[in-house]
Amino acid sequence: MATQAERREKTRAAIVKAARRIFGERGFAAATMDDIAAGARVAKGAVYHHFATKEAVFEAVFEQVSIDLVADLDRISRAENDPLAAMAAGTQGYFAACSKGPTGRIILRDGPAVLGWERWREIDAKHFGGKFPRALAAAMDAGVIAKQPIEPLARLLLGAVTEAAVAVSAGPDIGKTGTDYARAFRSLLDALRVK
């Protein structure tokens, strides 16, 4: 027999799963708490019991999408032995994921608008954005790039990737745009290599 805590967690997970589908298909503005409750097959009061606002539901969805995205990108990056090649491959995977409807809508279109840039960055820093300082440190430790302050370099590269991902998700030919930006990012990384 399930405990009260297990039932609560199961209900919360159902709400987040339904909200993820709804936000991904319709976007934040078009989704309602009634839609989310119906999608999770719970009463609207149960949604409000777990989440005070639609924005709070969205933040939980954003967090889960970010976790899943990074897990996918880690699989892609691990195929590379060189730290900069791994960064490039992971970033190309990020562009590809953000070019797809639900992920792009949640992470790049609605994320900054609903959460605000500061909160968006805080969450991203725990997931995709947090990979950049670690990858750069690994590249420096391996002697692939020169030792230098990591934080400014990570922010500059992450800013470039974020801008590119926004362009990719809004581009008319998403596949070509993503490939072009991935190639340009790889060139940026290659310019950092110790000669």
Side-chain angles (χ1 to χ4, degrees):
M1 183 169 211
T3 67
Q4 181 69 13
E6 290 169 335
R7 284 192 299 275
R8 270 196 306 271
E9 184 51 39
K10 185 176 178 184
T11 300
R12 186 184 189 286
I15 292 166
V16 171
K17 182 178 179 181
R20 180 177 181 162
R21 181 183 51 77
I22 293 165
F23 290 144
E25 289 172 358
R26 301 181 202 167
F28 178 82
T32 68
M33 292 294 256
D34 287 324
D35 296 334
I36 294 166
R41 294 189 170 111
V42 298
K44 188 161 78 169
V47 177
Y48 280 110
H49 175 76
H50 291 275
F51 302 99
T53 63
K54 186 169 79 163
E55 289 80 6
V57 178
F58 182 84
E59 184 169 325
V61 167
F62 183 88
E63 185 89 36
Q64 188 59 56
V65 171
S66 296
I67 289 167
D68 293 346
L69 177 57
V70 166
D72 291 342
L73 299 179
D74 281 348
R75 281 190 289 280
I76 293 167
S77 297
R78 278 195 296 270
E80 301 289 341
N81 293 327
D82 177 86
L84 292 184
M87 278 184 80
T91 300
Q92 185 167 358
Y94 182 76
F95 292 157
C98 289
S99 70
K100 296 175 185 163
T103 300
R105 175 174 279 133
I106 291 166
I107 296 289
L108 295 177
R109 290 186 206 106
D110 285 345
V114 175
L115 302 170
W117 274 109
E118 187 173 321
R119 184 67 182 136
W120 185 92
R121 283 187 189 110
E122 284 176 21
I123 296 170
D124 186 62
K126 295 188 305 185
H127 305 292
F128 180 72
K131 297 285 188 184
F132 276 63
R134 292 188 295 276
L136 290 170
M140 288 178 201
D141 291 345
V144 175
I145 62 175
K147 296 265 186 195
Q148 57 190 290
I150 292 173
E151 200 261 333
L153 183 57
R155 281 187 182 269
L156 287 168
L157 291 173
L158 186 58
V161 168
T162 302
E163 280 300 313
V166 170
V168 167
S169 70
D173 183 350
I174 288 169
K176 181 181 180 332
T177 305
T179 300
D180 291 346
Y181 278 104
R183 189 177 304 116
F185 186 70
R186 189 175 295 269
S187 295
L188 276 177
L189 292 177
D190 285 341
L192 294 171
R193 288 185 185 278
V194 173
K195 305 293 184 221

